[in-house]
Amino acid sequence: GVRMTGEQSRLLKAGDRVCWRKDQADRGTVIETNWAGVTIRWDSRGKQDIQHNDMGLVERVPTNLI
């Protein structure tokens, strides 16, 4: 698959749904973005801050699957 780049990560907005390693059962919601990275509240665990250039294992959930 295609890894999310730092540039793509910078386009995420609060409310966007994402998943971990293409696992549609392991989803979360972007709750904050800033110059350094994003904060995701995972459905199955707590919040996680991830720097933009470290978002390679996260991908946006296609809107038709939300």
Side-chain angles (χ1 to χ4, degrees):
V2 178
R3 295 172 53 97
M4 181 179 294
T5 65
E7 295 303 315
Q8 292 168 324
S9 175
R10 287 174 181 85
L11 299 175
L12 292 170
K13 298 180 190 90
D16 284 343
R17 294 289 284 166
V18 295
C19 65
W20 181 257
R21 292 188 170 202
K22 298 186 181 211
D23 183 354
Q24 294 299 320
D26 193 0
R27 294 184 182 191
T29 303
V30 174
I31 59 172
E32 182 180 352
T33 63
N34 61 43
W35 65 272
V38 299
T39 302
I40 300 170
R41 182 182 318 275
W42 295 102
D43 296 349
S44 61
R45 51 192 183 278
K47 294 190 303 184
Q48 180 180 16
D49 296 319
I50 306 174
Q51 293 182 347
H52 288 300
N53 291 333
D54 292 335
M55 290 283 288
L57 297 178
V58 177
E59 67 179 52
R60 190 182 303 216
V61 174
T63 54
N64 63 340
L65 295 178
I66 296 177

